[in-house]
Amino acid sequence: MSLENGILGYLSIRPMSGYDIKKLFNLSAAYFWPADQAQIYRSLKKLLSDGQIELHGISRGDGPERKEYAITEKGQGTLHDWLIHPSQTDFISRLSYIMQLFFSGLLSGEDQLRFLDEQLRINQGILQQLEFNCRDNIKAYTETAKLSEDDIRLTSSVWACKWGMLRCKAYTELLEEMKADIQKKRLM
Amino acid sequence: MSLENGILGYLSIRPMSGYDIKKLFNLSAAYFWPADQAQIYRSLKKLLSDGQIELHGISRGDGPERKEYAITEKGQGTLHDWLIHPSQTDFISRLSYIMQLFFSGLLSGEDQLRFLDEQLRINQGILQQLEFNCRDNIKAYTETAKLSEDDIRLTSSVWACKWGMLRCKAYTELLEEMKADIQKKRLM
DNA sequence: CAATACTATATGATTAGTCTTATAGTGGAG
DNA sequence: CTCCACTATAAGACTAATCATATAGTATTG
């Protein structure tokens, strides 16, 4: 349901098309919620038939047909409810990299070290991407999505990004600690 | 695919039934990979038809029929490959609590504080659960799943659990920081 | 001896997400 | 004038996961 709630979130900033929503997800939410284009349009359809959003207008500017959706009263209610009642299950998410970490002990010492280095490498790459996002995203945001800086500050996107970076740094520390532990055991 | 890989991971410790695997997931992996019973049996079926696992024996002890599966050479290869080649996409996971955090700025100051308190409360509960797990899980593990302590130490379950706790603590800090920031802005 | 809990496997319906392909218009580069 | 990139929406096939329900045996408890 979170994709639908996210869509409601964006539409509560201003009316948008599915294409706009997709761009916003890619620009600023992809690292915690990769959104598939097909899924966005399907969700819009469902939200529309639920009365959570309404067709705000069909425009044809320079390009092809463009359907803009606006959030309804009912949609605002759903969004508000979702935000003020986070549930325990919202916290349980599938983390395949932790599944890998969990079973990495089954590898030989050498292979496990290789595994940890690989995780470190990927994690470092993600951190760099997030740092770039945090610095330059607002500009890209306002340009490509035509949102004002005030619009963006409506969300807590900077905090979410900060969380991504904190998580990466903490994970790096854990991986280094694991590496040290394995190397220590090898010398014994 | 991670559920299948996780099943291969458990089966590389020793042959097990679907029921055993389900218990192990619930006991020690549920916080990073909630596994549905139906999905486990379906995955076993698929792994079997792929030749990744084989039927090791059907036993009927005191209870009902029990199918034990063992990992094959092919399965070992798949598991090893998965572990030494973690991919970038394995790191991208849907975090609905971050989606909520992201949009929490849309709430009024008062509601956002309520939201943050709710997240803190849930996060604290999860931390307690993980601390309990880290302390008492190995016992439950050996008793209910009939794995020896050495079997368990084969995996890096303690490190995975430690990561869960680190994550919770870091998230608590972030939430407190956000709270302080909002309260500061309210006084201006 | 009926109810309940636990062990154990399995199917069916539904939902969410992924990946591919189709369609259709605009604008620019070569 | 063709190819490519971008804007824009949509349907189809498929996979993974969820939820409910069925079945069947054992053991315990009141």
Side-chain angles (χ1 to χ4, degrees):
Chain A
M1 303 300 299
S2 289
L3 178 65
E4 282 175 37
N5 289 313
I7 290 173
L8 290 177
Y10 278 126
L11 290 181
S12 87
I13 298 174
R14 69 156 173 77
M16 294 180 198
S17 70
Y19 196 78
D20 291 335
I21 293 166
K22 206 222 148 194
K23 268 198 301 186
L24 286 176
F25 266 105
N26 286 349
L27 241 76
S28 53
Y31 66 96
F32 64 81
W33 206 275
D36 184 72
Q37 177 259 117
Q39 195 58 20
I40 286 172
Y41 284 102
R42 262 189 271 266
S43 297
L44 283 171
K45 213 179 230 179
K46 203 194 150 207
L47 288 167
L48 190 66
S49 75
D50 276 7
Q52 311 273 0
I53 61 174
E54 58 190 9
L55 196 57
H56 185 250
I58 304 180
S59 67
R60 174 179 272 124
D62 289 340
E65 190 183 75
R66 207 184 120 83
K67 293 182 185 173
E68 284 207 333
Y69 296 96
I71 192 166
T72 60
E73 282 282 310
K74 193 183 170 187
Q76 290 282 8
T78 305
L79 178 64
H80 192 262
D81 265 19
W82 174 65
L83 286 173
I84 60 167
H85 300 301
S87 74
Q88 182 107 21
T89 52
D90 287 330
F91 273 75
I92 299 163
S93 39
R94 301 204 147 62
L95 306 171
S96 54
Y97 65 99
I98 300 300
M99 179 94 95
Q100 288 175 319
L101 185 87
F102 187 92
F103 287 111
S104 69
L106 296 170
L107 294 170
S108 68
E110 213 176 309
D111 277 345
Q112 194 178 15
L113 283 173
R114 240 198 301 278
F115 164 82
L116 294 171
D117 282 330
E118 190 62 12
Q119 291 248 356
L120 275 166
R121 198 186 57 78
I122 296 171
N123 196 49
Q124 217 46 40
I126 290 169
L127 179 60
Q128 271 168 31
Q129 226 173 280
L130 284 169
E131 275 167 352
F132 173 82
N133 275 14
C134 240
R135 246 186 298 114
D136 300 312
N137 227 14
I138 290 186
K139 208 178 150 196
Y141 228 153
T142 49
E143 280 170 14
T144 69
K146 284 155 208 150
L147 288 180
S148 72
E149 288 200 25
D150 284 340
D151 281 343
I152 294 150
R153 266 192 286 273
L154 271 180
T155 68
S156 298
S157 61
V158 176
W159 287 100
C161 205
K162 195 176 173 184
W163 169 243
M165 293 192 293
L166 267 178
R167 210 221 84 239
C168 279
K169 283 171 191 164
Y171 194 52
T172 299
E173 277 171 46
L174 182 92
L175 292 169
E176 294 288 6
E177 223 181 295
M178 275 183 81
K179 267 182 77 174
D181 186 64
I182 291 159
Q183 273 157 346
K184 201 183 71 191
K185 276 182 187 155
R186 280 176 100 189
L187 294 174
M188 291 195 306
Chain B
M1 304 301 299
S2 290
L3 178 64
E4 281 174 39
N5 289 313
I7 290 173
L8 290 177
Y10 279 127
L11 290 182
S12 85
I13 298 174
R14 68 157 174 76
M16 295 181 200
S17 71
Y19 196 77
D20 291 335
I21 293 165
K22 206 223 150 196
K23 269 198 300 186
L24 286 175
F25 265 106
N26 286 349
L27 240 75
S28 53
Y31 66 96
F32 64 81
W33 205 276
D36 184 73
Q37 177 260 118
Q39 194 58 22
I40 286 172
Y41 284 102
R42 261 188 269 263
S43 297
L44 283 171
K45 213 179 229 178
K46 203 194 151 205
L47 289 167
L48 190 66
S49 75
D50 277 7
Q52 312 272 0
I53 61 173
E54 58 191 9
L55 196 57
H56 184 250
I58 303 179
S59 67
R60 175 180 270 122
D62 289 340
E65 192 183 74
R66 207 184 121 82
K67 293 183 186 173
E68 285 207 333
Y69 296 95
I71 191 166
T72 61
E73 282 283 308
K74 193 182 169 189
Q76 290 281 8
T78 305
L79 178 64
H80 192 261
D81 267 20
W82 175 65
L83 286 173
I84 62 168
H85 300 301
S87 75
Q88 182 106 21
T89 53
D90 287 329
F91 273 75
I92 299 162
S93 39
R94 301 203 147 64
L95 306 171
S96 54
Y97 65 99
I98 300 300
M99 179 95 94
Q100 288 175 319
L101 184 87
F102 187 93
F103 287 112
S104 69
L106 296 170
L107 294 169
S108 68
E110 212 176 312
D111 277 343
Q112 193 176 17
L113 283 173
R114 239 198 300 278
F115 163 82
L116 294 171
D117 281 329
E118 189 62 11
Q119 292 248 356
L120 275 166
R121 198 185 57 78
I122 296 172
N123 197 49
Q124 216 46 39
I126 290 169
L127 180 59
Q128 272 169 29
Q129 225 172 279
L130 285 169
E131 275 167 353
F132 173 82
N133 275 13
C134 242
R135 248 187 295 113
D136 300 312
N137 227 14
I138 290 188
K139 210 180 148 196
Y141 228 152
T142 50
E143 279 169 13
T144 69
K146 285 155 208 151
L147 288 180
S148 71
E149 288 198 25
D150 284 341
D151 281 344
I152 294 149
R153 266 191 287 273
L154 272 179
T155 67
S156 298
S157 61
V158 175
W159 287 100
C161 204
K162 193 175 174 183
W163 169 243
M165 292 190 295
L166 269 176
R167 210 222 83 238
C168 278
K169 282 172 191 164
Y171 195 51
T172 298
E173 277 171 45
L174 183 92
L175 291 170
E176 293 288 5
E177 222 180 295
M178 275 183 80
K179 267 183 77 175
D181 185 66
I182 291 159
Q183 272 155 348
K184 200 183 72 192
K185 277 182 186 152
R186 281 177 98 191
L187 294 173
M188 291 192 309

